[in-house]
Amino acid sequence: MSKLLLIYAGGTIGMMRNAGGRLEPFDFDYLLDHIPELKLLPHQIKTLSVENPIDSSDIDFGIWSDLAQIIFDNYYDFEGFVILHGTDTMAYTASALSFMLENLSKPVVLTGSQLPIGDLRTDAKENIITSLEIAGKKINGKPAVPEVSVYFEYKLLRGNRTTKISSEHFNAFDSPNYPPLAEAGVEIYFNEELIRPHHKDIFKIFTGLSDAFVVLKIFPGMNETYFDILESGQIRGVILETYGSGNAPRFDWLQKKLKNALDRGVKILSITQCMHGKIHPERYETGRHLYELGIIPGSDMTLEAAVSKMAYLLGKNLTDKAMITAFKQSLRGELTEND
Ligand code: ASP
């Protein structure tokens, strides 16, 4: 038996229809009333709701800090945590928490549902119950999955490798560049060799995220003015969503704008627009010119991982060298390091 904390942040899972027929977050008691099965689990479960449960499209850094703080305040009283969260930004929150919760050695499982708990065909129950089972699972006396993960529709995925792939199907998440950490069937099968090791260092949180960055997607027909944002003195980082294995057009104006930004110390991180695969800086001439300028290849990071890693590293005020090294390194298993 484990002591678990079930945290409600909002999302469809606990929503009800308002007078206009649209879904809106509702209070946690309503949700709990619909899962009497919680009492049957072999764990001691305490519940806690954020002050204002949200539709996760309203997520911001403040709510991430609140969630990190809740885990920090309760860290030594519980053996595992489950966060009920909307699916729209669940992959962002899971990625962000993976960086903000430093030296995490306990399970933090995020889950939600595509249909509200009150709907007959809801997917909420299975997701909550199995998430709690996973958060409470121990192997050799230690938590089986001591990292931030997302559980949805029979799969447990590494949080910072996860992306939302469907607004329709119950199978709403995937981690295209990393296999599932666990799969639930009749039994829950844990892929132990893929799970992050336990930390010996003291658990702490980092909440000083920076929002001084933008995401720019390369697309055919993009206009020079699209990159004017780089000239704003506020911007310290850019996530460039490049084609294929990390390519972008070799237009003179683009080259110039990127170089000017890099010369001013802006960090530009390249990730691929493809679902699968990673940045290969040397594969094409249309890629090489970017990395010779000093753009950082982001390997196989998802956009969600890149956004939260950027916010985290810019917030840390590292030296240029340390930041560039940290971008290329796997800090929490979020990327495959280049050999
Ligand atoms: N808009 C909802 C949210 O992310 C969708 C969901 O929960 O599935 O909060």
Side-chain angles (χ1 to χ4, degrees):
M1 175 163 120
S2 296
K3 261 184 99 182
L4 305 175
L5 184 62
L6 177 62
I7 304 161
Y8 179 48
T12 297
I13 196 157
M15 287 190 185
M16 271 178 82
R17 286 183 205 284
N18 63 18
R22 281 175 287 275
L23 287 165
E24 253 184 357
F26 205 64
D27 71 73
F28 198 19
D29 290 340
Y30 162 82
L31 195 154
L32 292 173
D33 285 348
H34 281 79
I35 21 175
E37 292 89 344
L38 286 188
K39 295 192 188 74
L40 302 175
L41 283 170
H43 301 298
Q44 196 181 325
I45 299 161
K46 201 180 148 202
T47 56
L48 190 154
S49 176
V50 298
E51 213 171 310
N52 295 307
I54 55 161
D55 182 310
S56 75
S57 299
D58 286 330
I59 203 85
D60 61 15
F61 289 1
I63 300 169
W64 286 349
S65 296
D66 292 347
L67 290 172
Q69 192 65 50
I70 290 175
I71 290 173
F72 183 79
D73 292 343
N74 292 284
Y75 193 71
Y76 294 103
D77 293 332
F78 294 90
E79 288 153 289
F81 303 84
V82 172
I83 302 178
L84 304 180
H85 193 288
T87 60
D88 286 349
T89 58
M90 190 184 294
Y92 286 95
T93 300
S95 298
L97 289 178
S98 77
F99 294 108
M100 295 167 81
L101 305 177
E102 298 180 334
N103 306 326
L104 179 71
S105 262
K106 297 190 178 182
V108 175
V109 186
L110 282 91
T111 195
S113 67
Q114 292 284 56
L115 285 175
I117 189 92
D119 278 25
L120 218 47
R121 292 180 52 248
T122 188
D123 50 331
K125 280 193 186 187
E126 201 287 318
N127 285 346
I128 297 181
I129 290 167
T130 307
S131 295
L132 286 162
E133 286 208 15
I134 289 170
K137 171 77 181 174
K138 291 197 184 134
I139 297 176
N140 300 329
K142 289 184 167 174
V145 192
E147 59 172 292
V148 180
S149 58
V150 166
Y151 180 77
F152 221 88
E153 188 69 1
Y154 307 115
K155 278 182 302 190
L156 183 76
L157 308 172
R158 172 165 296 157
N160 56 33
R161 291 287 195 152
T162 303
T163 194
K164 183 171 178 180
I165 53 163
S166 177
S167 58
E168 301 279 339
H169 295 139
F170 287 143
N171 184 13
F173 289 93
D174 196 7
S175 66
N177 289 311
Y178 201 75
L181 303 180
E183 283 163 90
V186 174
E187 303 274 336
I188 302 174
Y189 177 75
F190 291 86
N191 292 314
E192 287 178 57
E193 70 293 350
L194 298 174
I195 296 171
R196 286 182 69 70
H198 292 255
H199 276 281
K200 287 194 188 75
D201 299 332
I202 296 261
F203 173 68
K204 52 192 172 123
I205 57 172
F206 178 80
T207 56
L209 302 179
S210 165
D211 63 1
F213 66 95
V214 289
V215 178
L216 294 175
K217 187 169 193 148
I218 300 288
F219 62 94
M222 67 189 172
N223 169 302
E224 210 173 320
T225 56
Y226 179 54
F227 278 81
D228 284 355
I229 184 96
L230 295 192
E231 273 131 51
S232 137
Q234 314 287 314
I235 297 302
R236 295 170 52 223
V238 177
I239 294 162
L240 201 60
E241 285 195 86
T242 50
Y243 299 134
S245 44
N247 308 320
R250 288 170 287 178
F251 305 144
D252 284 344
W253 62 261
L254 180 60
Q255 201 81 358
K256 223 177 279 163
K257 293 211 170 201
L258 293 173
K259 182 165 181 339
N260 283 344
L262 289 162
D263 287 347
R264 287 197 323 276
V266 175
K267 302 289 167 296
I268 307 182
L269 176 71
S270 161
I271 57 168
T272 172
Q273 294 176 15
C274 296
M275 183 88 160
H276 292 266
K278 64 176 185 173
I279 302 292
H280 290 273
E282 294 296 334
R283 191 172 275 175
Y284 291 93
E285 283 301 332
T286 48
R288 193 178 56 88
H289 73 114
L290 298 176
Y291 307 102
E292 274 181 5
L293 281 178
I295 289 180
I296 307 162
S299 187
D300 50 3
M301 257 190 288
T302 59
L303 173 63
E304 295 88 334
V307 162
S308 47
K309 188 169 184 177
M310 182 66 84
Y312 176 75
L313 291 181
L314 290 180
K316 287 254 168 181
N317 285 322
L318 303 169
T319 61
D320 274 11
K321 199 168 161 236
M323 200 179 323
I324 292 168
T325 307
F327 269 122
K328 291 183 183 167
Q329 263 172 357
S330 161
L331 303 181
R332 309 281 194 272
E334 74 279 7
L335 58 77
T336 308
E337 282 184 17
N338 282 327
D339 2 83

